[in-house]
Amino acid sequence: MAVCAWCGEAIADDGGRGRPRDYCSRSCRAKAYRARKATAGRAPAPQTRRAPGGGRPVPVDPPDHAEGGGPHLSTERIVAAAIALADDEGLENLHMRRLAAYLGAGTMSLYRHVGGRDELVDLMVESAMGEEPQPDPVPAGWRAGLEYTARRDWGLYRRHPWILQHAMVGSRMRWTRNAALDGERALAAFDGLAVPPEEQLRLLLIVVAFTQGIALIHVNDVELTRKTGVTAQQWWDREGSHVNPELLADLPRLSSAFRKPRPFQLELDRQFEAGLKGVLDGIGALLVRYGAVLTS
């Protein structure tokens, strides 16, 4: 069965009438045409796309070309374009054929730089996690250090929602160099405190787990917006609340909590900051148990 040269989806059989189609829809054909036009002939000005949530622009088109008019590919350029596609359309929609069309290149030419989609995703994660250089010097004091870790991670998940499933801390986490550098810098928050290494890891996990939990709400909203075409603001303008008052008629605690409609998803930054403060206050109390003299 033929597949679309842009999105990789199967193309419905037209009964053998006319020449075989290269694209499953006019939309895919138009996207492929724009990609070819952007990379044809002389080098165009660099193109960028801004990640959802206000992240920094990510280059998506090759800024220069090899002689002969073809796109000059490199691993870095392929990874940057893949990140931009995943930011816009979700990681599940990232296919090698689509990426090649996006770059105006042949699909097989990508395999001279990356071994396949799994390797590409690993490179994307490593690149995204290295976008923000490690601070030098590291934030001074346990609280400033942990705050930096949480906000650094929160910014990463806001820029690249797709990365969360590949950066979740767990027993099967795939460590990369940039992830290891992040971990080493994060643990520096406990320097000078009489806290055992295993307890340092436990306290750091509290901060990381809180940040990733809030990020899951953001990622879910991004996916719903992509699938339905309805933003969180549009949904709230239409629905007014996500809780039916009749459902809470005999539940006084929830009724009180949801007495005034509050678009939780629309104020995640505020929820993150308020929650982080509470988490760090709790960690501060735990550190006192170790006899730590807290100066920050």
Side-chain angles (χ1 to χ4, degrees):
M1 177 180 291
V3 296
C4 178
W6 176 258
C7 69
E9 297 295 328
I11 299 176
D13 186 6
D14 61 2
R17 297 185 298 273
R19 66 182 297 273
R21 291 189 295 156
D22 295 323
Y23 305 100
C24 65
S25 66
R26 291 181 179 178
S27 175
C28 284
R29 182 171 59 189
K31 290 178 182 178
Y33 170 76
R34 288 195 295 270
R36 290 195 302 272
K37 185 176 180 181
T39 57
R42 298 183 62 184
Q47 301 293 311
T48 61
R49 290 189 181 182
R50 184 167 295 277
R56 71 173 180 83
V58 180
V60 297
D61 289 324
D64 55 24
H65 295 258
E67 293 185 9
H72 176 66
L73 294 180
S74 67
T75 302
E76 292 76 14
R77 196 159 294 151
I78 291 169
V79 170
I83 289 174
L85 273 175
D87 288 346
D88 285 350
E89 302 179 14
L91 193 62
E92 71 278 6
N93 293 315
L94 177 64
H95 308 289
M96 298 298 279
R97 293 189 67 175
R98 173 178 289 188
L99 179 59
Y102 202 72
L103 288 165
T107 303
M108 295 308 297
S109 65
L110 302 185
Y111 289 98
R112 290 197 291 269
H113 302 274
V114 295
R117 189 178 184 277
D118 290 343
E119 180 181 324
L120 175 61
V121 172
D122 287 343
L123 292 171
M124 291 165 61
V125 172
E126 178 73 347
S127 176
M129 294 191 72
E131 287 175 352
E132 183 181 338
Q134 295 293 336
D136 184 19
V138 297
W142 71 270
R143 190 171 189 118
L146 294 179
E147 280 182 344
Y148 180 84
T149 292
R151 293 194 178 109
R152 180 185 176 98
D153 288 353
W154 177 236
L156 176 66
Y157 304 140
R158 295 277 280 178
R159 293 192 304 273
H160 308 300
W162 55 268
I163 202 174
L164 181 59
Q165 62 178 301
H166 295 277
M168 292 287 284
V169 173
S171 60
R172 303 188 185 187
M173 177 180 174
R174 296 183 65 177
W175 284 91
T176 66
R177 177 61 178 173
N178 283 333
L181 289 173
D182 257 5
E184 179 71 10
R185 186 260 314 141
L187 289 172
F190 301 103
D191 285 357
L193 301 179
V195 180
E198 63 273 14
E199 185 67 5
Q200 293 181 23
L201 282 174
R202 190 178 74 85
L203 295 177
L204 178 59
L205 178 60
I206 293 173
V207 175
V208 172
F210 163 75
T211 305
Q212 292 186 340
I214 290 287
L216 281 172
I217 301 173
H218 169 66
V219 170
N220 182 64
D221 185 64
V222 169
E223 292 300 321
L224 286 173
T225 299
R226 181 181 294 120
K227 292 176 181 178
T228 66
V230 178
T231 67
Q233 181 66 64
Q234 291 170 335
W235 191 92
W236 272 94
D237 290 343
R238 183 184 67 196
E239 300 293 334
S241 175
H242 63 285
V243 180
N244 184 344
E246 296 179 359
L247 180 67
L248 307 181
D250 61 341
L251 305 174
R253 297 171 185 83
L254 277 178
S255 295
S256 177
F258 289 100
R259 182 171 57 252
K260 295 181 180 179
R262 293 177 297 177
F264 187 89
Q265 288 85 346
L266 301 182
E267 51 184 31
L268 280 184
D269 285 317
R270 186 176 70 83
Q271 298 286 352
F272 168 75
E273 291 295 337
L276 179 60
K277 181 181 182 302
V279 167
L280 296 177
D281 287 347
I283 289 177
L286 290 172
L287 288 174
V288 170
R289 296 183 184 180
Y290 287 95
V293 178
L294 305 184
T295 59
S296 60

